[in-house]
Amino acid sequence: MGVHYVFQIYSTVERVTFFLSLVSNFIKTSSFNIIIENWRIDYNAVRPHSSLNNLAPDEFKKKWRFLQVLTPVKVAEQELTKT
């Protein structure tokens, strides 16, 4: 076995190892992104927050928007009842 042949094998093994490490990192990163996204959805949609009166952020947002729609109506009703 010549020295040139050994270097070719070593070079090929290095490239395969590098490629496999890239694939492994991609899989780990993809898995990590899925885990983080699931946590974000849980935190923002399901988990209640004490600062939001123990409502989940999505629930709080829906109630807040509903109140924003009702507020002008209530103000108008109050103005009408004053006269």
Side-chain angles (χ1 to χ4, degrees):
M1 206 188 278
V3 175
H4 182 67
Y5 183 70
V6 171
F7 281 123
Q8 280 181 334
I9 292 174
Y10 181 74
S11 176
T12 303
V13 170
E14 271 188 337
R15 281 185 263 145
V16 169
T17 304
F18 179 72
F19 174 75
L20 291 176
S21 71
L22 287 177
V23 170
S24 174
N25 286 338
F26 177 76
I27 290 170
K28 288 177 188 174
T29 304
S30 296
S31 298
F32 182 73
N33 287 340
I34 291 168
I35 291 168
I36 292 297
E37 181 63 15
N38 287 339
W39 174 85
R40 187 191 67 76
I41 290 168
D42 179 64
Y43 188 83
N44 289 326
V46 179
R47 185 176 171 271
H49 295 257
S50 60
S51 63
L52 301 176
N53 200 21
N54 289 321
L55 295 172
D58 284 351
E59 283 181 88
F60 182 82
K61 184 170 54 173
K62 286 176 190 172
K63 286 188 176 187
W64 184 82
R65 285 184 177 161
F66 180 73
L67 290 175
Q68 294 303 310
V69 170
L70 286 183
T71 301
V73 173
K74 288 188 177 196
V75 169
E77 286 175 357
Q78 289 174 354
E79 290 298 320
L80 289 174
T81 56
K82 285 182 182 178
T83 57

